Amino acid sequence: WNMGQKASDTRGITFEDVRVPAENVLGVEGMGFKIAMGAFDKTRPPVAAGATGLAQRALDEATKYSLERKTMGKYIAEEWNMGQRASDTPLIFIEMYKLLLPASAT
């Protein structure tokens, strides 16, 4: 299940009792898992950057909405508990993710 990533057509696949002719083998036999995991070294940074950007945008939109929407005569952002939850904690985590982003490339 892709959690809203509509452009990622991800599927599970299972091979059982499959024989691959020697001339069709790519790389060295038994190294497939290591090669596949190595691909994550290339994809980890852009995925981390995208997730961080998405979190920042979500916080920006939530903040904007809380400053526009009134309930019981007050803006949502004016409610102390809501203001605390919608600003400090997510902002701290997003800034932390931005600082950790370069580490995802190592």
Side-chain angles (χ1 to χ4, degrees), residues 37-54 97-106:
M37 293 300 103
F40 288 128
D41 292 339
K42 303 280 191 253
T43 60
R44 196 173 291 117
V47 169
T52 301
L54 183 63
Y97 298 150
K98 289 177 185 177
L99 292 171
L100 290 172
L101 189 56
S104 70
T106 59

Side-chain angles (χ1 to χ4, degrees), residues 19-42:
R19 293 178 178 240
V20 178
E23 63 270 12
N24 294 344
V25 173
L26 301 174
V28 178
E29 185 175 347
M31 294 297 292
F33 181 77
K34 185 174 182 176
I35 292 168
M37 293 300 103
F40 288 128
D41 292 339
K42 303 280 191 253

Side-chain angles (χ1 to χ4, degrees), residues 5-87:
Q5 295 181 6
K6 305 285 190 235
S8 176
D9 190 19
T10 306
R11 306 262 188 238
I13 186 167
T14 303
F15 295 104
E16 293 179 10
D17 301 321
V18 175
R19 293 178 178 240
V20 178
E23 63 270 12
N24 294 344
V25 173
L26 301 174
V28 178
E29 185 175 347
M31 294 297 292
F33 181 77
K34 185 174 182 176
I35 292 168
M37 293 300 103
F40 288 128
D41 292 339
K42 303 280 191 253
T43 60
R44 196 173 291 117
V47 169
T52 301
L54 183 63
Q56 180 68 60
R57 178 64 186 265
L59 178 61
D60 293 346
E61 292 296 324
T63 301
K64 180 181 166 198
Y65 181 77
S66 72
L67 294 168
E68 295 171 349
R69 175 82 163 94
K70 281 187 174 183
T71 179
M72 294 180 278
K74 293 173 73 175
Y75 289 106
I76 293 173
E78 293 174 349
E79 295 294 331
W80 181 85
N81 194 23
M82 190 61 192
Q84 287 294 106
R85 277 190 276 163
S87 61

